[in-house]
Amino acid sequence: MRAVRHLKTAFVYLGLVLLAVVMAGPFIAMILVAFQANPVVTGVDIFNLDFTLDNFTRALNESRLSRWFWNSLVTTGVITIAGTFFSSLSGYVLAKRDFPGKEVIFWLFLAVLMFPVHAWIIPMFVQMSRMGLVNTYWPFFLSGSSSAFGIFLLRQYIEQNVVTDVLDAARIDGCGEFRTYGLIVLPSIIPGLTTLAIFLFIQWWGQFMFALIMTTTSDMFTLPVGIAMMQGVARGNLRYMMATTTLAMLPTIIVFIFFQKYLMRGVVMQLD
Amino acid sequence: MRTSSLYRMAALTLLLTLALSLGAAAQTKIVHWSFPLLENEMERLWQPFIEKFNAIHPDIEVQVEIMPWAGRDERMLTAVVSGNPPDVVYLNEFFLQMFVSRGALEPLDKYIDQEELLRRFPEQLLSTGYHEGHYYLAPMLTSTVGILYNKNIVEAVGWDVNNLPETWDELLQFAEDVKQYAAATGQEIWPVGYSAAMEETLNMTLFPLIWQAGGDILSEDLSRAAFNSEAGRAVFEFLRTLVEKEYVSQAMVTTGHLEDYFIDGRLAVQFSVDAPQIDAFRDRDPDFDSYAVMGPILRKEKQITYGTLGAWAIFRNANNPEAAAKWIEFLTSPEINVEFNKATGFMSPIQGAPELFAEDPLLSVLEEQRVYARGGMTIQDERRVMDVLKRAQQAVMLGEVGIDQALADAEREVNFILR
Amino acid sequence: MTKGKTKQWLVCYLFLLPNIILYLTVRLVPFLSTVGLSFTDWRLIGSPRFIGLKNFVDMFNYPVFWKALQNTFQYALYVVPPSIILGLLVAVLVNRDLPGIKVFRALYFLPYVTSVVFIAIVWKWIFAADWGLLNDLLQKVGLPRVQWLSSPRLAMLSVAIVAIWQNVSFNMLVFLAGLQGIARDVYEAAMIDGTSKLQSFVYITIPLLRPTALFAAIITTINSFQVFDLTYVMTQGGPLDSTYTLVYYLYDYGFRYLEMGHASAVAMVLFLLIFALSVLQRRLLAEK
């Protein structure tokens, strides 16, 4: 009986490892190629590995990688902070306060949630053009800071995690709404805020179509756009492409490693 | 701090700010959009030029932006529409209609005398930028598209480097020889590198072939499709043969080629090679010249290839059009223009410019082949029309659609677009 | 209403203000503009010209539009079922307490957190016919090359594989949460009754996972309808428009040919499709 169970466990581990190869394989292959100096057409010759840092140094020196990185950081950073902040404001009042028109607002936000980006991107582009805001950070700030997903996530989180009695007690003590929000609600929903922030970060760091449309000069590209554009130019050099892609992926991977728990929780919270 | 010293400080700061802002105002700034023409071009080309320019015009600040080729028409149009275009932009001749018809360009002769323009540039080049009484384009370079061979493979299959294929039939024969050779020696060598990927502009691939077959893409007055003809049929048959006989890899038809391939010796012939491509190859492999050789422009009925005119233009809503015109005058002055073209490998369009590349084994060939070059389509919907033909080309090469069918469908679509 | 109460709900609206302003300006108004623009002809320069339903008529007469529509549905069909089923299977696999299981779970989540563009670039290399990793491996074991991305027949499948790969990463987590939400006593009761593991899986787990599966299915479907980054980087809509979907058609007309009216009409069609799906989700999920 024991033997059968051990065998079964072994099989499970085998399955897990195979799956790991499938899921993480492409990343490992990419990193492997990025470190190669051997100019094999297919990127890597397994029998002839030749490690070097050249591709990375070239990526850092020649392309505008650092500029694109900075653009992504600024846009994603502001969106994450503003988006989380605004969502918490709205989520709070929608969860814990009553006021006329609450249902209407709720349905308004819900309806917007169902608008895919394509339903508004053309006029948005035109509007930004007319205002001279194309090829600036503003389209990102304006579009990304309003997150219907964030509002619902935090509303639910606040409903579940902030006890109304505490809020009432605060009000009796004479706390104004803002103080209640800032001193009581915010500190108690930090995990929720973090989850949303991580989500927004991951979502917008990898944003492509929006950035492609809203930026025109290469000094304003975000990381995904810049790297996709590089493909045409650096099409010849596989190792260089892989090195730049590896560098580009690093931020999200780092965020992922440190904040997995929040990410996973965020996915789970959407289920309800 | 005592009040009087506070006032003194405030006054000083104000004065300083005033001085600085006046200084800034005194400096006019122009933004210049160019596209990758050379590796490391900011250091090698633009910075020295800007310095020389500033020696003559210290009050004009020039900011050069190198933009990617991909999606450039949309970017330029967006910039124009958003009311924030660059002052100077690099335009090929086929872009004229797209911009001038939308009223997006400033006439150059508003700032530079027409006589001066005619003195500097040959009339036939200048006239490609002519529209309703004004000149809009200042020619900076002409570029031809050639065909590249791998010397080692040529000799290995028994051909003579001085006697490379001149006609389509000879090319097919050469390709067959390479194919046999590769099979016999067990190597992976693709005879022909011809990319039909959607990202590749047809100016460098399909259109020269149509002209070589004696036909044209559109009618003289640019109002109807003209490629559904004997010539069109001949071209598509030729391309279909390339794929059927496995001279061109199927993947290259749809996803394009990899620079590594030619450098690795896995490609015998590469189409669509111009000066920047040669520069990119040389940058990748210092030994490039030892195995690369340019072949003659092919002929079916005519010997003809694509040549483009690269020119500078000023956008209508530019901040400083006068300063922009000065910069353009500087760039197209004989000395600077020649320096520019020597560096980039293009040909100078200036009247009386010398042959620049007599010593360069590859670029000299391109320079000689200038006489066979002609320009591309100049219509407003160039992008859409080209997309239709790109699809037709792919369909035929992959054998998905019959040649007559593909030509007829494409003709119908193009006529619809041009209506 | 007393003055205190008025002040109170004013403050509430103050809290809502950033989101309300942003929604009005960057979502609602542009959306209404899209609706309006879809009845005009406008090339970005000049003013829009009202042309009624002509954009829609043109669209329905244009074979490429139908191809794009067909591709969109076909692509969803390729991507959604495997994404769900495989996601469930992987979740079952990792839903146990073995040592190191957390590491595996984290690893499997990697594809989801990475940007689609970067994933596309790596897979484009893997699938490349002449210089790709996959074909290289195939050739090393003596198999012929496959035209993964350069054959009109295979291209969509190849792109779908990448999408599935990324979706499984996400769905695994969804199903894991769902599985862990099923109370243990349900299983214990079943075991006492003598049902086998397989039976309990089929007759208990799967029905109980219905809402989870539905959620995953709708999210995956809506995402697959909006595919763009993947096809833009990997195939550019080709070869021969085999991976040309509605969103790509919208992008071409809206941002390459700059025919804003026509593109808006396409946006309307796309929106209606997605809206219908979202409504379906609410409806299906509501009837628990």
Side-chain angles (χ1 to χ4, degrees):
Chain A
M1 224 41 211
R2 257 248 179 109
V4 172
R5 216 160 21 115
H6 281 324
L7 197 64
K8 193 173 158 237
T9 317
F11 264 118
V12 169
Y13 270 111
L14 185 66
L16 288 173
V17 167
L18 280 176
L19 202 59
V21 167
V22 169
M23 290 304 227
F27 297 101
I28 298 176
M30 167 191 76
I31 297 175
L32 205 59
V33 173
F35 277 108
Q36 293 305 304
N38 192 1
V40 176
V41 162
T42 52
V44 61
D45 187 353
I46 317 204
F47 306 114
N48 202 355
L49 293 175
D50 184 12
F51 290 92
T52 174
L53 278 179
D54 283 348
N55 301 316
F56 287 99
T57 39
R58 187 173 165 200
L60 288 169
N61 290 334
E62 281 188 22
S63 68
R64 309 192 76 155
L65 209 63
S66 38
R67 174 75 200 176
W68 298 335
F69 181 85
W70 175 251
N71 291 336
S72 279
L73 198 65
V74 171
T75 51
T76 312
V78 171
I79 289 176
T80 303
I81 296 175
T84 308
F85 178 51
F86 294 156
S87 298
S88 67
L89 289 174
S90 300
Y92 166 57
V93 295
L94 284 176
K96 292 291 181 187
R97 291 278 168 256
D98 267 317
F99 48 89
K102 181 175 175 179
E103 288 303 305
V104 174
I105 297 283
F106 184 79
W107 284 108
L108 181 76
F109 287 162
L110 187 67
V112 169
L113 184 64
M114 294 198 265
F115 287 175
V117 61
H118 321 99
W120 47 262
I121 197 161
I122 293 173
M124 177 81 176
F125 170 71
V126 173
Q127 196 53 32
M128 293 287 116
S129 287
R130 289 241 181 88
M131 289 165 63
L133 292 179
V134 170
N135 211 37
T136 65
Y137 290 141
W138 284 101
F140 293 92
F141 294 164
L142 293 173
S143 274
S145 304
S146 51
S147 165
F149 166 70
I151 294 180
F152 287 114
L153 193 79
L154 287 182
R155 172 179 156 273
Q156 188 183 314
Y157 192 81
I158 292 176
E159 250 177 22
Q160 290 173 350
N161 291 300
V162 174
V163 183
T164 323
D165 306 344
V166 180
L167 297 177
D168 289 338
R171 181 137 31 110
I172 291 172
D173 272 354
C175 254
E177 207 62 69
F178 285 102
R179 292 188 76 195
T180 318
Y181 165 77
L183 295 175
I184 300 180
V185 179
L186 271 192
S188 54
I189 57 169
I190 293 205
L193 290 177
T194 321
T195 307
L196 177 61
I198 304 293
F199 249 98
L200 284 177
F201 181 83
I202 302 257
Q203 180 193 344
W204 277 92
W205 186 269
Q207 181 53 249
F208 179 69
M209 190 176 178
F210 185 83
L212 182 68
I213 290 171
M214 295 293 178
T215 57
T216 53
T217 58
S218 65
D219 66 329
M220 289 305 292
F221 285 163
T222 54
L223 218 42
V225 180
I227 297 207
M229 288 295 153
M230 258 185 68
Q231 270 202 97
V233 176
R235 219 183 335 171
N237 199 334
L238 207 53
R239 299 168 308 288
Y240 181 45
M241 273 307 314
M242 291 299 142
T244 32
T245 315
T246 309
L247 287 174
M249 278 196 207
L250 277 180
T252 27
I253 297 197
I254 291 177
V255 164
F256 169 64
I257 292 178
F258 285 109
F259 294 103
Q260 309 166 19
K261 198 166 54 131
Y262 291 102
L263 270 171
M264 299 197 180
R265 177 184 314 178
V267 172
V268 171
M269 282 174 76
Q270 286 181 56
L271 275 183
D272 300 320
Chain B
M1 207 181 277
R2 293 205 344 240
T3 332
S4 54
S5 43
L6 205 66
Y7 278 136
R8 229 177 291 159
M9 275 193 71
L12 212 66
T13 325
L14 204 66
L15 223 67
L16 210 66
T17 328
L18 219 70
L20 281 172
S21 49
L22 275 177
Q27 264 255 327
T28 13
K29 174 164 160 195
I30 54 173
V31 176
H32 170 125
W33 279 13
S34 189
F35 300 92
L37 297 171
L38 193 66
E39 306 283 317
N40 279 330
E41 59 189 292
M42 279 310 287
E43 292 165 27
R44 283 162 78 177
L45 215 58
W46 296 109
Q47 256 140 32
F49 281 169
I50 296 177
E51 274 166 38
K52 286 198 183 132
F53 180 70
N54 281 142
I56 317 171
H57 297 281
D59 53 329
I60 304 182
E61 184 193 332
V62 180
Q63 185 188 321
V64 173
E65 268 293 326
I66 312 288
M67 314 261 294
W69 288 111
R72 63 170 161 150
D73 4 356
E74 300 99 78
R75 293 183 201 292
M76 292 194 286
L77 269 174
T78 310
V80 168
V81 169
S82 68
N84 210 2
D87 298 87
V88 178
V89 68
Y90 174 88
L91 288 184
N92 294 102
E93 81 286 358
F94 48 80
F95 276 126
L96 179 71
Q97 278 311 313
M98 180 156 98
F99 289 103
V100 87
S101 64
R102 289 176 151 102
L105 297 180
E106 280 282 298
L108 286 178
D109 39 47
K110 201 163 145 189
Y111 310 97
I112 309 177
D113 235 1
Q114 271 206 12
E115 274 149 37
E116 170 64 27
L117 288 172
L118 285 164
R119 203 167 52 82
R120 200 177 275 200
F121 307 108
E123 217 265 316
Q124 109 238 33
L125 284 182
L126 202 60
S127 60
T128 51
Y130 181 86
H131 181 80
E132 287 177 11
H134 294 284
Y135 292 107
Y136 291 87
L137 301 178
M140 185 66 180
L141 60 93
T142 57
S143 166
T144 45
V145 172
I147 184 166
L148 189 69
Y149 288 82
N150 184 315
K151 220 186 281 185
N152 300 333
I153 301 178
V154 168
E155 284 165 2
V157 298
W159 280 65
D160 180 3
V161 172
N162 298 316
N163 214 345
L164 291 166
E166 286 181 17
T167 65
W168 290 11
D169 290 327
E170 284 176 21
L171 182 74
L172 288 174
Q173 181 59 54
F174 175 73
E176 182 62 34
D177 289 343
V178 173
K179 182 177 168 190
Q180 304 285 353
Y181 170 74
T185 55
Q187 295 175 62
E188 185 209 347
I189 303 181
W190 288 102
V192 175
Y194 177 95
S195 167
M198 292 302 275
E199 9 186 88
E200 211 76 47
T201 171
L202 293 183
N203 281 325
M204 313 232 300
T205 51
L206 184 70
F207 291 175
L209 289 178
I210 295 184
W211 300 329
Q212 282 167 16
D216 205 343
I217 296 95
L218 300 178
S219 58
E220 279 276 344
D221 58 355
L222 301 180
S223 66
R224 298 188 56 77
F227 51 80
N228 190 2
S229 58
E230 275 300 314
R233 208 153 293 130
V235 173
F236 277 165
E237 267 164 24
F238 174 67
L239 292 176
R240 177 85 199 106
T241 311
L242 286 179
V243 177
E244 242 170 14
K245 296 228 166 123
E246 294 178 353
Y247 299 152
V248 170
S249 117
Q250 188 181 347
M252 195 174 290
V253 174
T254 51
T255 51
H257 58 86
L258 206 52
E259 247 169 39
D260 281 343
Y261 253 65
F262 189 85
I263 293 182
D264 240 24
R266 293 198 199 196
L267 201 60
V269 180
Q270 183 159 323
F271 274 73
S272 328
V273 173
D274 59 0
Q277 179 70 76
I278 293 179
D279 188 59
F281 273 133
R282 281 175 169 161
D283 194 64
R284 286 288 306 288
D285 184 0
D287 284 328
F288 184 67
D289 278 43
S290 66
Y291 56 86
V293 62
M294 299 296 293
I297 301 293
L298 293 177
R299 168 172 50 92
K300 174 113 174 104
E301 304 296 325
K302 294 192 197 176
Q303 189 177 18
I304 186 169
T305 183
Y306 172 67
T308 186
L309 177 72
W312 307 120
I314 304 181
F315 274 132
R316 178 137 285 175
N317 292 324
N319 288 326
N320 294 304
E322 285 111 30
K326 295 215 172 75
W327 170 241
I328 290 181
E329 245 192 302
F330 167 77
L331 286 176
T332 54
S333 62
E335 185 204 322
I336 301 295
N337 183 285
V338 166
E339 201 183 317
F340 175 89
N341 284 310
K342 260 204 110 64
T344 53
F346 292 117
M347 275 76 82
S348 170
I350 309 283
Q351 297 253 42
E355 296 285 313
L356 299 173
F357 304 106
E359 284 98 50
D360 188 313
L362 298 173
L363 293 177
S364 57
V365 178
L366 277 181
E367 200 163 25
E368 279 162 23
Q369 292 171 342
R370 211 180 351 171
V371 297
Y372 302 117
R374 66 158 276 190
M377 288 191 292
T378 55
I379 52 168
Q380 205 197 80
D381 281 307
E382 189 232 7
R383 190 104 317 216
R384 267 185 86 178
V385 169
M386 206 185 265
D387 275 3
V388 170
L389 286 167
K390 282 185 189 177
R391 293 186 157 107
Q393 183 185 229
Q394 272 193 359
V396 166
M397 286 182 85
L398 292 178
E400 297 284 327
V401 180
I403 292 179
D404 293 321
Q405 179 76 47
L407 285 169
D409 287 342
E411 180 183 36
R412 206 171 349 115
E413 263 194 72
V414 171
N415 284 340
F416 177 74
I417 296 173
L418 294 175
R419 76 201 180 287
Chain C
M1 214 181 281
T2 66
K3 190 165 178 224
K5 273 249 158 107
T6 316
K7 182 180 175 216
Q8 199 185 41
W9 61 256
L10 268 178
V11 173
C12 283
Y13 271 99
L14 206 64
F15 271 60
L16 292 169
L17 204 63
N19 278 122
I20 292 182
I21 293 182
L22 284 174
Y23 276 132
L24 285 178
T25 53
V26 307
R27 294 282 189 275
L28 197 61
V29 167
F31 173 69
L32 294 173
S33 296
T34 307
V35 180
L37 275 180
S38 63
F39 299 113
T40 67
D41 174 26
W42 191 39
R43 308 277 168 129
L44 202 64
I45 304 203
S47 339
R49 191 172 54 99
F50 183 74
I51 53 172
L53 291 173
K54 189 158 183 301
N55 280 327
F56 294 94
V57 171
D58 278 345
M59 194 170 35
F60 294 144
N61 277 330
Y62 203 43
V64 177
F65 169 74
W66 291 108
K67 180 101 178 123
L69 192 64
Q70 179 198 325
N71 282 344
T72 308
F73 279 108
Q74 192 178 344
Y75 179 76
L77 223 63
Y78 278 5
V79 169
V80 178
S83 297
I84 304 294
I85 297 174
L86 290 175
L88 174 61
L89 291 177
V90 174
V92 166
L93 184 66
V94 297
N95 186 26
R96 47 194 86 221
D97 251 323
L98 293 176
I101 198 76
K102 292 239 166 98
V103 172
F104 281 106
R105 284 186 198 158
L107 214 60
Y108 299 161
F109 206 43
L110 209 54
Y112 173 66
V113 301
T114 316
S115 159
V116 183
V117 173
F118 306 144
I119 286 181
I121 290 179
V122 177
W123 278 96
K124 186 174 179 180
W125 160 58
I126 294 178
F127 275 139
D130 295 331
W131 35 274
L133 185 65
L134 206 51
N135 277 350
D136 194 34
L137 292 175
L138 285 176
Q139 283 198 299
K140 286 213 160 72
V141 293
L143 292 169
R145 282 183 179 169
V146 180
Q147 302 288 340
W148 301 105
L149 293 175
S150 30
S151 151
R153 263 161 297 285
L154 288 179
M156 183 183 276
L157 191 64
S158 309
V159 175
I161 290 178
V162 182
I164 294 172
W165 178 80
Q166 201 183 22
N167 286 337
V168 165
S169 185
F170 176 74
N171 287 340
M172 163 199 80
L173 208 68
V174 170
F175 278 118
L176 195 63
L179 283 172
Q180 290 181 345
I182 301 178
R184 292 199 72 83
D185 6 354
V186 180
Y187 286 122
E188 279 163 13
M191 287 235 266
I192 293 173
D193 270 355
T195 37
S196 74
K197 272 235 164 133
L198 188 63
Q199 279 180 320
S200 76
F201 183 72
V202 173
Y203 291 112
I204 301 179
T205 317
I206 294 196
L208 281 178
L209 279 180
R210 191 162 163 269
T212 317
L214 226 47
F215 172 78
I218 299 287
I219 294 268
T220 310
T221 310
I222 294 185
N223 278 340
S224 69
F225 266 58
Q226 298 184 50
V227 64
F228 178 74
D229 306 6
L230 211 53
T231 46
Y232 184 89
V233 173
M234 285 183 91
T235 58
Q236 294 245 303
L240 297 185
D241 296 334
S242 54
T243 54
Y244 198 70
T245 55
L246 270 185
V247 179
Y248 214 115
Y249 183 86
L250 191 159
Y251 175 77
D252 264 353
Y253 273 88
F255 301 101
R256 285 187 65 227
Y257 309 150
L258 294 175
E259 290 187 35
M260 316 315 273
H262 192 102
S264 297
V266 180
M268 283 291 96
V269 172
L270 191 62
F271 166 70
L272 286 172
L273 276 173
I274 294 184
F275 183 77
L277 270 175
S278 305
V279 167
L280 192 69
Q281 170 193 16
R282 307 278 152 191
R283 199 75 38 99
L284 285 175
L285 274 182
E287 54 161 89
K288 271 202 191 143

